Amino acid sequence: MTDDIFEAIASGDTIRVAVLIEGDTERARARRNGASALLFACYRSVPEMVALLRPACEPLDIFEASALGDIERVRALLDRDAKQANAVAEDGFGPLGLASSFGHGKTVELLLSRGADPARASQNAMKAMPLHAAVAARSVAIARLLIAAGAPVDARQGDGPGLTPLMAAALDGQDELAELLLRHGANPDLRDDNGMSAADHARNSGHDTLADRLDRAAGLA
């Protein structure tokens, strides 16, 4: 059985995970929907699980190394095969999106220098760009790196109402990130599939000052 380890991770049962992988490290390499148990722990934001599982998962693959920000492992893998910079995991995510999502700026910088495409969306229903991931990570520094490398500032995420990075930043009240996006040409006039603008998202989330700034950028105030 492989589901047991994922259930233990999801429930935060560190002791159960330790028992499951003791003497059976292959369990730590189990996969669900294409994601390894280690990546699943990363996705669930359970750092103690990540620390517990990692030794059993060495050597890390390009996706695990990118999600964990293991820059030396990422470099070694790219030295061996440069195409891994744009590889796609079974669950549809790529190294650049994973490094961006988990806030690993140095790893993002390395991947970009080795040819990772900042305009490539995840190959799953989310269709999330690395820039969307940077917004989710609340990382202005990573967003700046991605934009400088050519990330499309008005790309729409595939799932949900089709948010642009500016809409996502507005929804989350990220003033600095919103300003960065505006300076680099993000269009405040765009609306999502529900007809909502970035300003609407900001205002509905209680970020009135940001909403007013976005209205001004759109020429509405």
Side-chain angles (χ1 to χ4, degrees), residues 30-79:
R31 293 182 177 273
R32 173 183 278 182
N33 298 325
S36 67
L38 180 58
L39 270 181
F40 185 72
C42 290
Y43 295 159
R44 301 286 295 197
S45 299
V46 190
E48 62 272 22
M49 295 292 187
V50 173
L52 181 63
L53 288 164
R54 179 169 179 166
C57 294
E58 298 283 358
L60 304 182
D61 64 24
I62 190 70
F63 311 109
E64 294 163 338
S66 297
L68 292 175
D70 187 339
I71 192 168
E72 294 308 321
R73 176 60 178 165
V74 172
R75 181 178 287 111
L77 289 167
L78 295 176
D79 286 345

Side-chain angles (χ1 to χ4, degrees), residues 17 76 80 107-108 118 121 124 131 144 150 157 168 172 175 189 202 211 219:
V17 171
R80 187 182 307 165
T107 304
V108 167
N124 50 32
L131 190 53
R144 189 176 289 116
Q157 194 160 327
D172 202 28
D175 300 70
D189 291 320

